[in-house]
Amino acid sequence: MELDDGDIADPWTLTAADQALVIAKNSANRLGFALLLLFYRAHGQFPRKPAEIEAGSVARVARQLGVEPNDHDGYDRTSRTWKRHRAEIRALAGFREATVAAGELLQEWLRDQVAAIGAASDQLAALLETRCREAFDRASLG
């Protein structure tokens, strides 16, 4: 089912706060930044390459920004802009470089999960992804 532009539940819809972040970028970088932001929010990670983002999603975001979908074709993942945008999105989400203490807390949390549900790696991965998304959502709201 295709969602229309008014559907807020669609992960490829820019919120007012998103639009404020995007509009502050150089016009040539707006689509790329918006795509990274929305992809990260939807998947909990950045795309490995721009082509990983579906063409329909690119077109949808481009329409919201009033730009041509092919404007992000040159958005090179090895460029300083791509790296700077990823760092900015991580900072917005409240992420920082992991510490040994944070790693130990995560290990403890995972041990508790294994004790509760067993060592089913698929279930643990899903729980970890949910935990990380919830942390991102809390950071985005704050």
Side-chain angles (χ1 to χ4, degrees):
M1 174 175 104
E2 185 164 330
L3 302 169
D4 66 21
D5 285 347
D7 192 339
I8 296 174
D10 178 29
W12 295 101
T13 298
L14 292 163
T15 66
D18 296 339
Q19 290 178 2
L21 290 169
V22 171
I23 201 73
K25 303 292 171 220
N26 177 307
S27 61
N29 298 328
R30 288 178 184 159
L31 179 58
F33 180 82
L35 291 168
L36 279 180
L37 177 66
L38 296 174
F39 189 95
Y40 188 77
R41 186 176 296 145
H43 299 284
Q45 64 185 28
F46 293 106
R48 286 168 288 212
K49 55 189 173 190
E52 194 173 331
I53 304 170
E54 294 179 11
S57 299
V58 173
R60 181 178 177 87
V61 175
R63 270 194 320 272
Q64 293 173 68
L65 297 173
V67 298
E68 290 298 316
N70 61 4
D71 285 353
H72 109 293
D73 289 344
Y75 201 58
D76 178 8
R77 71 182 183 90
T78 62
S79 75
R80 289 186 320 200
T81 301
W82 175 278
K83 291 174 184 177
R84 187 177 66 248
H85 286 176
R86 288 182 10 206
E88 184 177 341
I89 292 165
R90 280 191 207 101
L92 288 166
F95 287 96
R96 62 191 182 292
E97 193 169 336
T99 63
V100 172
E104 289 170 354
L105 287 172
L106 181 57
Q107 284 179 340
E108 184 178 321
W109 181 84
L110 285 171
R111 273 194 301 271
D112 291 345
Q113 299 309 307
V114 169
I117 66 166
S121 61
D122 290 346
Q123 286 179 305
L124 290 172
L127 283 172
L128 182 59
E129 182 177 341
T130 299
R131 185 173 175 89
C132 291
R133 284 183 194 275
E134 288 169 351
F136 179 77
D137 289 342
R138 282 192 303 273
S140 295
L141 294 173

